């Protein structure tokens, strides 16, 4: 139970700070309005780092169903815990997104772009092409899970690993994230998308459920293949 609480807390912090930086950059009359992709990529890297630090004393701090699946495939995580972890992570994502909505409450009313509002909560493609959008999420998550498993073969100074993971997320964001907004995490997209659907957000539009399968299945597939490739390396 403590491990599930850890995954919930870590994913909550991840989404609170990650969606929070997107809100800061995207919403009207925010002091960070227009800060751009560099702020978002660094913000998400820091969000992952701090989410891990906030949960690693309770759980493995996966904070991501694709990572949980990859670790199970690699044989370093029990299959019986995969679904409970995924549920805890998604719930953490929902609650984190709700708190972002509360924190920026006055700004939704002055932001008249439904796409920008949805972009605070969920990812979307720069060019909608489901095949290549899927491949982009696949590739980004493949790199993520393979690298996380590779890190286990090295030695880091105690307490440094979350920072390295945050740098990995930042690198993926800078290099691969411009196509889809790099969900690379089903809970990161699904949880906040659910929050967008149910919350009475001013000026919101459609939650774009027709696209939602891409940031769920793409990362799960990429994480699985990344883990399988790792297993092929002696």
């Amino acid at each position: 139970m403590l491990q599930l609480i850890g995954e919930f807390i870590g994913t909550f912090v991840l989404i609170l700070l990650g969606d929070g930086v997107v809100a800061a950059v995207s919403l009207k009359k925010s002091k960070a309005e227009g800060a751009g992709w560099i702020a978002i990529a660094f913000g998400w890297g820091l969000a992952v780092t701090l989410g891990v630090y906030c949960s690693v004393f309770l759980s493995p701090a996966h904070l991501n169903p694709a990572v949980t699946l990859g670790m199970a495939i690699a044989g370093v995580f029990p299959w019986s815990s995969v679904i409970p972890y995924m549920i805890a992570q998604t719930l953490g994502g929902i609650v984190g997104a709700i708190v972002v909505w509360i924190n920026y409450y006055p700004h939704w009313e002055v932001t008249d772009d439904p796409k920008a509002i949805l972009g605070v909560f969920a990812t979307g493609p720069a060019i909608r092409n489901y095949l290549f959008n899927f491949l982009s999420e696949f590739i980004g998550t493949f790199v993520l899970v393979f690298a996380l498993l590779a890190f286990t073969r090295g030695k880091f100074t105690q307490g440094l690993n979350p920072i390295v993971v945050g740098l990995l997320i930042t690198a993926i964001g800078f290099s691969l994230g411009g196509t889809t907004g790099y969900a690379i995490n089903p809970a990161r997209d699904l949880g906040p998308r659910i929050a967008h659907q149910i919350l009475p957000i001013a000026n919101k539009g459609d939650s774009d459920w027709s696209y939602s399968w891409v940031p769920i299945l793409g990362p799960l597939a990429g994480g699985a293949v990344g883990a399988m490739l790792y297993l092929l390396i002696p």
Side-chain angles (χ1 to χ4, degrees), residues 11-106:
T11 313
F12 165 80
V13 172
L14 164 66
I15 297 303
L16 175 62
L17 300 180
D19 281 6
V21 71
V22 181
V25 170
S26 302
L27 298 181
K28 297 295 184 183
K29 297 190 177 180
S30 160
K31 290 183 179 293
E33 182 183 356
W37 189 252
I38 292 175
I40 289 173
F42 273 122
W44 272 106
L46 291 170
V48 170
T49 295
L50 296 173
V52 172
Y53 274 127
C54 287
S55 59
V56 73
F57 68 100
L58 292 170
S59 76
H62 295 168
L63 318 186
N64 181 339
V67 172
T68 298
L69 177 62
M71 295 300 165
I73 291 172
V76 296
F77 185 74
W79 280 101
S80 61
S81 297
V82 169
I83 297 301
Y85 263 53
M86 290 180 174
I87 292 171
Q89 292 155 0
T90 303
L91 290 174
I94 294 172
V95 177
I98 290 172
V99 177
V100 170
W101 170 64
I102 294 170
N103 186 74
Y104 283 94
Y105 190 84

Side-chain angles (χ1 to χ4, degrees), residues 3-4 23 33 40 47 77 79 114 121 135 145 149 156 170 186 198:
Q3 290 192 18
L4 297 180
E33 182 183 356
I40 289 173
F77 185 74
W79 280 101
F121 295 87
L135 287 174
V145 172
L149 287 165
F156 294 101
T170 302
I198 64 177

Side-chain angles (χ1 to χ4, degrees), residues 65 123 204 221:
T123 60
K204 78 171 182 178

Side-chain angles (χ1 to χ4, degrees), residues 131-154:
L131 172 60
F132 286 97
N133 300 153
F134 176 91
L135 287 174
S136 182
E137 290 292 338
F138 178 98
I139 293 167
T141 318
F142 170 88
V143 172
L144 171 64
V145 172
F146 183 85
L148 291 176
L149 287 165
F151 291 167
T152 65
R153 296 198 183 189

